[in-house]
Amino acid sequence: MKKEEKFKEILCIGAGYVGGPTMAVIAAKCPDYNVTVADIDARRIAAWNSDLLPIYEPGLDEIVKRTRGKNLFFTTDISSAIKRCGIIFVSVNTPTKTFGEGAGKAADLQFWEKTARAIIEDAEDDKIVVEKSTLPVRTAELMHRILQSNTKGLSFEVLSNPEFLAEGTAIRDLESPDRVLIGAMETDSGRIAMEKVFDIYARWVPRDRILTTNVWSSELSKLVANAMLAQRISSINSISALCEKTDADVNEVASAIGMDSRIGPKFLKAGVGFGGSCFKKDILNLVYICDHYGLGEVARYWEQVILLNDYQNRRFVNRIIRSMFNTVANKKIALFGFAFKADTGDTRESPAIYISRLLAEERANLAIYDPKAIPNAKKDIADIASSVEFHEDPYSCAKSAHAIAIITDWSEFRTLDYQKIYQSMTKPAFIFDGRNILDKHKMHNIGFNIYSLGSRPLTTS
Ligand code: UDX
Ligand code: ADP
């Protein structure tokens, strides 16, 4: 294969929520590139090659159907793919460490390191290795050292190209991103490698939206973007607690402050707390790095974003208990939604997990409905299985329940027949709207005691 040709062979190691959709969009936008997605998980790869993809993401099926077998391939044969491809994206998981130094905070880089070692084992020529997974600052340096330790005389360029897609809107985010960030070492070879990755995105992203920085800025920017987004949510959630004590309404406060163009309206939706695989992990990582560099005050500042989020989960459950005459023991509570947000089946770090456990500790009987997340939910809360039943439709879920708790902002929850639901429930019937998606006056008129998050309840008795 000619030297330049191999840079049209792209490999992504890690076929998860980031690797799969990102590579599908690259394949669709760059028909003259061959894109291979490889994973050690044979079941996941089999699913990517089937009609039932391993992740639910609006628009993903259609793109995969269009490109798979043409210039998009899913495989477990990582070794051949490494040999063939000139550009290797690495999108393996980097969970929070659960053991040893930094347990509970630092990123566990063992999967990353294994990948780097697989690359040097199988590579037969120079490669560009691109960090896609979110990684602590200066990981590129460690990776570069591991890769350069090869005894074959090969040279590797390590770039950072963090992915900013949000689940549920991944395809839209990938097709028209606010920005693409590419960080490279400030060397001639670093710049040449960066141009190759730049050229891929320039096929569909306007050039002025492709930002190039040094590799450390790129790595840090991803952590900071997530920390700032999560911080906004914790800020508005803290105010929701105050609103519940006063006659203020958090939605009105969010609208009023969001109209200030310096603040802006996005990410000001109060709720049961943020979830997802990124926010908590990345902030813990930031906290760990700050502590590592002796920046205790900075670390404590960011840590508070997580503590407030935990408080918000607990506060939601405590409000349920208090409002239902101080006990939920043996009462049926219907949870509407289990995914960490709408339009995904992903439940990683979902507030639903914590809320379910807290309610089960109070001996509530839980009934759970979610349009996409039930298979994951069953695994997440297997430890409290005896307190939980799962439903395939919201009406059976709510039948004879004492209360409904809305945990996920699925749009279908807005349009259910709440009159019918009310009639089937035990009275007095409660709704705890943890996402503020229902019209509280309408619910109150039906007869519900309605507790929207961040405002005074409307009760019937
Ligand atoms: C996030 C970042 O948005 C994305 O850029 C990054 O690449 C990965 O992490 P994701 O976790 O997929 O994406 O979803 P996001 O839309 O950010 O929502 C995260 C959590 O915050 C969800 O639980 C969501 O319900 C919650 N949220 C979001 C709120 O509670 N209020 C809001 O106003 C916005
Ligand atoms: P994300 O949400 O960041 O995409 P996921 O956990 O969904 O993360 O995906 C990460 C993927 O990386 C998993 O499918 C996992 O099997 C894969 N993976 C982990 N380690 C390796 C490895 N050494 N080689 C190949 N794939 C790996």
Side-chain angles (χ1 to χ4, degrees):
M1 193 188 299
K2 284 206 218 104
K3 199 163 178 245
E4 282 311 302
E5 289 285 291
K6 76 171 190 181
F7 294 113
K8 294 217 161 164
E9 293 282 338
I10 299 176
L11 166 63
C12 177
I13 303 181
Y17 285 88
V18 172
T22 308
M23 292 302 128
V25 169
I26 291 181
K29 300 290 182 185
C30 307
D32 52 330
Y33 282 65
N34 279 324
V35 181
T36 303
V37 188
D39 203 293
I40 39 172
D41 184 339
R43 274 177 42 200
R44 217 167 202 191
I45 290 298
W48 277 110
N49 280 321
S50 76
D51 284 339
L52 192 62
L53 301 185
I55 62 174
Y56 170 72
E57 189 60 59
L60 179 64
D61 280 25
E62 191 266 317
I63 291 193
V64 170
K65 267 190 198 127
R66 199 149 36 91
T67 49
R68 194 174 54 193
K70 294 195 179 80
N71 70 331
L72 177 67
F73 307 94
F74 294 94
T75 182
T76 50
D77 184 358
I78 305 175
S79 165
S80 311
I82 290 173
K83 287 189 177 67
R84 192 174 62 248
C85 297
I87 301 180
I88 303 177
F89 288 86
V90 182
S91 188
V92 300
N93 31 341
T94 49
T96 306
K97 259 185 107 174
T98 52
F99 55 89
E101 166 72 18
K105 282 191 182 146
D108 182 349
L109 296 177
Q110 59 169 313
F111 304 110
W112 233 100
E113 184 172 336
K114 272 193 196 121
T115 310
R117 292 191 187 281
I119 294 173
I120 38 181
E121 171 96 23
D122 290 309
E124 292 169 347
D125 50 16
D126 299 349
K127 308 280 181 202
I128 298 170
V129 177
V130 190
E131 301 174 342
K132 253 293 167 212
S133 334
T134 307
L135 292 161
V137 195
R138 303 207 80 88
T139 305
E141 188 179 27
L142 296 179
M143 289 310 139
H144 196 240
R145 274 175 42 209
I146 296 175
L147 291 167
Q148 285 311 120
S149 71
N150 78 85
T151 51
K152 302 177 186 171
L154 300 179
S155 180
F156 295 92
E157 276 307 320
V158 180
L159 304 182
S160 159
N161 169 222
E163 185 44 64
F164 294 100
L165 69 80
E167 286 175 35
T169 53
I171 302 303
R172 196 174 72 209
D173 296 343
L174 286 162
E175 288 186 332
S176 46
D178 287 353
R179 79 323 208 165
V180 167
L181 181 57
I182 310 173
M185 306 275 180
E186 292 168 300
T187 57
D188 285 344
S189 54
R191 274 184 281 275
I192 292 169
M194 181 200 281
E195 275 166 26
K196 297 216 165 10
V197 174
F198 191 105
D199 286 347
I200 297 172
Y201 288 106
R203 294 293 185 94
W204 77 95
V205 180
R207 287 179 166 261
D208 58 0
R209 290 209 184 169
I210 308 178
L211 186 66
T212 56
T213 65
N214 78 38
V215 78
W216 324 122
S217 305
S218 172
E219 287 179 341
L220 184 58
S221 300
K222 171 68 189 191
L223 287 186
V224 174
N226 277 344
M228 297 280 267
L229 289 169
Q231 181 214 41
R232 275 174 75 93
I233 302 170
S234 278
S235 296
I236 199 70
N237 282 345
S238 75
I239 300 304
S240 73
L242 184 57
C243 289
E244 284 171 23
K245 298 280 183 204
T246 60
D247 275 330
D249 179 322
V250 76
N251 295 320
E252 292 177 353
V253 173
S255 301
I257 64 169
M259 284 174 78
D260 184 325
S261 60
R262 294 168 302 175
I263 297 174
K266 294 185 183 166
F267 267 72
L268 283 180
K269 192 117 193 45
V272 286
F274 58 76
S277 70
C278 286
F279 284 173
K280 186 171 176 191
K281 181 186 80 172
D282 289 355
I283 294 175
L284 286 172
N285 213 324
L286 190 62
V287 168
Y288 180 75
I289 295 169
C290 293
D291 273 330
H292 172 80
Y293 286 109
L295 304 173
E297 285 79 356
V298 184
R300 301 291 79 73
Y301 175 77
W302 288 107
E303 198 166 45
Q304 194 57 33
V305 173
I306 296 178
L307 296 178
L308 202 290
N309 199 53
D310 297 343
Y311 165 74
Q312 188 75 349
N313 296 165
R314 285 196 309 275
R315 219 171 63 70
F316 182 69
V317 172
N318 289 341
R319 197 181 192 207
I320 296 178
I321 298 167
R322 251 195 351 267
S323 321
M324 295 179 72
F325 319 108
N326 290 316
T327 177
V328 288
N330 298 317
K331 291 181 182 165
K332 178 175 172 183
I333 314 267
L335 300 190
F336 278 11
F338 203 89
F340 80 96
K341 63 184 283 194
D343 293 327
T344 179
D346 193 356
T347 57
R348 288 177 293 176
E349 296 295 338
S350 177
I353 300 172
Y354 307 105
I355 290 168
S356 303
R357 291 226 172 90
L358 290 171
L359 286 169
E361 270 170 34
E362 294 291 332
R363 306 214 172 147
N365 300 323
L366 301 180
I368 300 177
Y369 166 73
D370 186 290
K372 295 286 174 194
I374 294 300
N376 282 330
K378 284 183 177 166
K379 288 184 229 150
D380 293 330
I381 50 170
D383 54 317
I384 54 161
S386 59
S387 312
V388 183
E389 53 186 53
F390 294 97
H391 288 260
E392 286 185 1
D393 91 281
Y395 297 98
S396 72
C397 183
K399 192 166 179 227
S400 74
H402 295 73
I404 296 169
I406 296 181
I407 311 294
T408 311
D409 47 342
W410 284 102
S411 60
E412 73 169 69
F413 297 154
R414 294 173 202 272
T415 52
L416 298 174
D417 182 345
Y418 282 95
Q419 183 73 52
K420 178 172 152 190
I421 288 176
Y422 177 75
Q423 271 152 10
S424 76
M425 286 176 67
T426 303
K427 310 294 179 315
F430 291 80
I431 296 182
F432 298 91
D433 185 356
R435 296 289 187 168
N436 286 341
I437 57 175
L438 299 180
D439 178 333
K440 61 181 174 185
H441 297 290
K442 207 165 143 194
M443 294 304 127
H444 188 228
N445 286 341
I446 290 175
F448 285 107
N449 289 294
I450 170 94
Y451 288 71
S452 302
L453 198 130
S455 62
R456 286 244 194 241
L458 297 177
T459 52
T460 51
S461 49

